[in-house]
Amino acid sequence: MNERPTRNLALELVRVTEAAALAAGRYMGRGDKEAADRAAVEAMRLVLQTVNMDGIIVIGEGEKDQAPMLYNGERVGNGMPPEVDVAVDPIDGTRPLANGNLNSISTVAIAPRGTMFNPGPFVYMNKIAVGPEAKGVINIEASITENLKAIAHAKNKSVEDLTCVILDRPRHAEMIAEMRRAGARIRLIPDGDVAAAIMTAWPESGVDVLFGIGGTPEGVLAACALRAMGGEIQGKLYARNEEELRRGREMGYDFEKVLTMDDLVASDDVFFAATGITDGELLRGVRYTGQGAITESLVVRGRTGTIRRITAIHRMDKLRQLSQVRY
Ligand code: VTB
């Protein structure tokens, strides 16, 4: 089918993550998570209004802290078509940003209305994510060892050659022990499993698979990125206690169900953008130059699969005159 070229909304979305990163980057190492988050959210919201879309936030700041902005259900964009679901994480890695550590990014994704998984109040999800070469061979219901063997086979490697990424949390002790028994290499990360999931689809990253329990909203964002990049993620909601399990059942959530790529984001027509806030393996963080700042971003469009890396040089003197965003 030959279509006329259509618009790439991700090229508009990157301005949103750049603005959030420029605002949040000022808070690196300053020990104030809340102030950093507020700055990122405000900047993101202002620029989101300019994007040509009729958006509803499905993954927002909402549930955890009852945020006044970018809450679940909020309408964003300028109201023009297309009608889309929107997922935002103004800062993935607020803690590393506040502590002056690596790998905090700003991200946003959109997909056609009704295609994104709505996690409701259920904040944790067990995940397995891989890049394009291992798409179709993973199974979250199989053991870690079985998954590692399947991924190694698909990538024409041995299990010893594989690098797994997992959040450094006590809840993962058993999973980490199994990875060690299987002989795989392990990268323990303090935070930031959206960037880690994307790294599985990034050839130079040296990361083969992400395992473990992380945020559900982060899982949906990672699904958008991986869908666009040709990788795969599977998830299963994770209840922290009986009470959460009971509440979930009442609300119609199934904690046994495997959430496939199609459950998490049911369309290839997805757009994803991310900008580095602090330095990371995927993206460099914001560098302030005196006159302005330099950002590095990733822009992905699912329909075509094009992945762009965009370096932008921002002129603060001009932006401050033109924009309400407090850079
Ligand atoms: C992850 C990580 C986030 O939350 O999803 C994690 O990507 C999971 O929750 O950066 P816990 O920190 O409670 O383990 C973050 O660390 C922060 O939202």
Side-chain angles (χ1 to χ4, degrees):
M1 180 174 53
N2 284 316
E3 283 179 45
R4 277 194 296 170
T6 44
R7 287 174 42 229
N8 182 348
L9 270 173
L11 290 168
E12 293 185 38
L13 291 181
V14 71
R15 295 175 64 229
V16 173
T17 54
E18 282 176 356
L22 285 169
R26 296 286 184 195
Y27 292 87
M28 184 173 89
R30 289 172 57 185
D32 192 344
K33 288 199 317 191
E34 286 73 27
D37 209 40
R38 227 176 305 138
V41 168
E42 251 173 58
M44 181 169 265
R45 187 156 182 260
L46 278 170
V47 185
L48 263 179
Q49 287 168 357
T50 69
V51 179
N52 276 300
M53 64 178 180
D54 177 356
I56 293 181
I57 296 198
V58 174
I59 303 291
E61 291 283 286
E63 275 304 329
K64 255 186 283 179
D65 29 45
Q66 307 199 320
M69 294 201 286
L70 299 180
Y71 54 86
N72 299 358
E74 182 177 343
R75 289 197 100 97
V76 288
N78 67 0
M80 304 287 285
E83 292 188 342
V84 290
D85 284 351
V86 182
V88 301
D89 199 352
I91 305 173
D92 186 37
T94 331
R95 200 164 16 205
L97 172 59
N99 295 335
N101 288 325
L102 299 177
N103 275 317
S104 76
I105 59 171
S106 179
T107 65
V108 53
I110 62 174
R113 176 77 45 85
T115 58
M116 275 185 203
F117 179 72
N118 185 343
F122 303 107
V123 289
Y124 286 102
M125 179 193 262
N126 191 16
K127 315 173 192 180
I128 176 169
V130 290
E133 288 169 90
K135 183 181 171 177
V137 307
I138 53 170
N139 176 6
I140 199 165
E141 304 226 272
S143 69
I144 287 197
T145 313
E146 284 168 303
N147 275 298
L148 288 173
K149 281 186 185 154
I151 297 163
H153 185 256
K155 296 186 105 170
N156 217 356
K157 292 179 168 191
S158 65
V159 169
E160 286 76 17
D161 298 328
L162 295 180
T163 300
C164 318
V165 185
I166 185 161
L167 284 163
D168 191 3
R169 300 288 187 274
R171 63 178 179 261
H172 292 150
E174 193 37 55
M175 295 175 100
I176 292 169
E178 183 172 351
M179 287 173 207
R180 289 185 176 147
R181 282 197 299 275
R185 288 152 36 103
I186 303 168
R187 282 269 323 270
L188 289 171
I189 52 169
D191 281 288
D193 70 351
V194 180
I198 296 170
M199 271 159 46
T200 65
W202 193 257
E204 297 152 35
S205 74
V207 167
D208 298 283
V209 52
L210 166 92
F211 285 110
I213 297 158
T216 314
E218 286 86 352
V220 176
L221 269 161
C224 292
L226 287 173
R227 177 121 204 180
M229 296 173 92
E232 182 178 0
I233 182 168
Q234 291 175 7
K236 235 176 168 186
L237 290 176
Y238 172 83
R240 283 167 292 180
N241 48 47
E242 282 301 319
E243 159 63 16
E244 204 168 42
L245 200 61
R246 196 185 48 75
R247 205 162 142 225
R249 292 215 175 103
E250 272 171 23
M251 291 175 69
Y253 283 88
D254 182 355
F255 289 81
E256 291 309 311
K257 182 179 157 59
V258 175
L259 299 167
T260 64
M261 200 71 158
D262 275 330
D263 295 313
L264 295 168
V265 55
S267 169
D268 280 333
D269 205 5
V270 26
F271 299 93
F272 177 84
T275 301
I277 308 176
T278 62
D279 281 341
E281 290 140 297
L282 198 64
L283 295 164
R284 286 191 73 172
V286 183
R287 281 158 283 158
Y288 297 94
T289 59
Q291 293 76 30
I294 304 171
T295 55
E296 204 173 84
S297 305
L298 199 69
V299 171
V300 198
R301 181 187 191 201
R303 271 180 104 183
T304 53
T306 311
I307 301 171
R308 290 183 170 85
R309 196 193 253 292
I310 296 184
T311 303
I313 299 169
H314 307 270
R315 283 273 305 270
M316 293 310 191
D317 51 342
K318 291 196 168 223
L319 291 180
R320 285 204 189 100
Q321 286 173 19
L322 294 169
S323 161
Q324 294 171 14
V325 178
R326 274 182 269 142
Y327 292 113

